[in-house]
Amino acid sequence: MTSNGTPDRAPDGTPDGIWLAPAEWLPPTAEKTVDALAAGRVTAEEADAMGYGQLPVSPDLSAPRMAVRAARLALTRAGVPAGDLSAVLHAWTYYQGHDFWSPAHYVAAGAGALKAVPTGVQQMCNGSAAALRAAVHQLVARPGDGPLLVTTADRFAPPGFDRWGGDYGVWYGDGATAAVVGTGAAPRGTLALRALCTRAAPELESAHRDTDGFHPAPHTRGAVVDVRRTKKAFLAEQGKPRFLGRLRRETTAVLAAALAEAGVGSGGERLSVVLLPRLGRATARDVYGPAVAEVTDAPTADLGEYTGHLGAGDLLSNLAALASDSGPHRLERGAYAAVLSAGAGFTWSAAVVRRT
């Protein structure tokens, strides 16, 4: 820290000493891919392209209530009392349980963060990266405010959403994630944030918008969210090869920027792994694998086999796997990893972390 109380700058441009204590909470119940196949909810070709075995499903627990559970886990991991939090940033992708309401305030109250300022963050599936970015900015601007809490939660429940068939190449799982974000001495077992870079292409927003007009209320166009309809129209106009090429180039660019800021690769620290958004085997092979290979020879991994895509939560769930006390993807002390995120709109983010 400098003499005026602001964070020193690390060589990568990230404020020195920013740490994360991530956690996730997933419902104990799940729907199996074999059962979805038997019921005709997915085809054998779709199951092979995805490569996932199940999706966690919350029968009755709302998304914000799951977020409260994840928040408590993250606070325990960080050893931070909820009353010390200066802000709560809650991100989501889909319906939070009420039509006209602030889920961020519910999460703050449920977690016991009664002195924190709650804020909702809506950047679709890049939501956790967007909330984390806002948290970093606040720590830089107001370093004396204390730690922040970032949460995400989504529940893709019927009748409004078909988690198996509502989208092309994405299966949606229910769950929540959280991270306490702070500066200074890092709690044991946390991750040091070395870089966080984001890029956007707003001109691609129509991939998820009905181009025939805007609607006066939710589900006016149809009783069930149909992402396939909007994507099909978008790809008919843009062309699938052109669109996939853009996805690869943006992913390469944002990862290259994050690695350069963190001083990883090109003679610097070696990267242990690149964790991908949980979008399945085919997307990892056709988009993320080639994009990552342009800038690093580090191995890639998609951790969605038992979670599917967690809406806004993929990035924090991947960070939780890196920070876990055990497990196949636990990051070793002093090692570096990168985590990729992407969301409709479109927005891409890359975070580089080191195990403290």
Side-chain angles (χ1 to χ4, degrees):
M1 302 290 285
T2 63
S3 59
N4 64 1
T6 59
D8 292 320
R9 306 302 293 187
D12 58 18
T14 303
D16 193 27
I18 287 190
W19 51 262
L20 311 169
E24 72 173 2
W25 188 90
L26 301 178
T29 54
E31 292 181 4
K32 306 292 186 179
T33 301
V34 292
D35 296 329
L37 271 167
R41 300 182 70 180
V42 298
T43 67
E45 182 181 7
E46 290 169 337
D48 182 67
M50 191 62 57
Y52 292 168
Q54 67 178 38
L55 300 178
V57 174
S58 176
D60 50 17
L61 204 63
S62 70
R65 289 177 67 192
M66 290 191 287
V68 169
R69 298 192 178 195
R72 291 171 178 167
L73 291 173
L75 288 165
T76 298
R77 186 175 187 90
V80 171
D84 289 352
L85 295 172
S86 61
V88 174
L89 304 171
H90 178 63
W92 66 93
T93 298
Y94 184 57
Y95 189 61
Q96 295 290 287
H98 291 281
D99 295 334
F100 199 69
W101 176 65
S102 172
H105 286 72
Y106 178 93
V107 174
L114 302 184
K115 297 179 181 179
V117 177
T119 302
V121 177
Q122 226 300 322
Q123 204 180 65
M124 296 301 285
C125 299
N126 197 59
S128 56
L132 181 57
R133 188 168 182 257
V136 170
H137 289 175
Q138 179 165 327
L139 288 171
V140 173
R142 300 180 61 87
D145 278 0
L148 296 85
L149 175 68
V150 171
T151 63
T152 79
D154 277 298
R155 180 184 180 223
F156 300 99
F161 205 102
D162 179 356
R163 69 180 70 252
W164 296 96
D167 199 349
Y168 286 123
V170 188
W171 289 354
Y172 294 83
D174 299 343
T177 68
V180 178
V181 188
T183 57
R188 182 178 177 83
T190 55
L191 302 173
L193 181 64
R194 305 308 298 160
L196 177 60
C197 294
T198 294
R199 294 172 62 90
E203 67 273 20
L204 302 179
E205 56 78 26
S206 61
H208 293 78
R209 173 170 58 85
D210 282 323
T211 55
D212 59 352
F214 288 83
H215 313 304
H219 295 291
T220 301
R221 178 64 171 78
V224 181
V225 173
D226 188 356
V227 186
R228 294 189 179 209
R229 182 182 69 250
T230 61
K231 280 188 176 179
K232 184 177 181 180
F234 175 83
L235 292 174
E237 178 183 347
Q238 295 283 328
K240 187 174 181 179
R242 177 185 174 190
F243 178 60
L244 293 181
R246 181 69 182 274
L247 297 183
R248 285 191 291 267
R249 290 192 301 274
E250 295 291 348
T251 300
T252 296
V254 77
L255 178 59
L259 295 180
E261 287 194 6
V264 174
S266 300
E269 298 287 348
R270 180 166 177 78
L271 196 63
S272 296
V273 69
V274 180
L275 298 184
L276 308 179
R278 300 176 183 189
L279 301 175
R281 181 161 50 203
T283 301
R285 179 193 65 223
D286 299 338
V287 177
Y288 289 106
V292 170
E294 289 289 329
V295 289
T296 178
D297 61 358
T300 61
D302 177 344
L303 308 188
E305 181 180 0
Y306 300 107
T307 69
H309 179 52
L310 293 173
D314 278 5
L315 181 135
L316 287 186
S317 183
N318 283 337
L319 290 174
L322 294 173
S324 65
D325 295 327
S326 61
H329 300 287
R330 178 186 183 275
L331 193 62
E332 295 300 322
R333 181 179 179 182
Y336 287 77
V339 180
L340 294 174
S341 177
F346 273 76
T347 316
W348 297 265
S349 292
V352 178
V353 296
R354 180 177 64 85
R355 182 68 179 249
T356 61

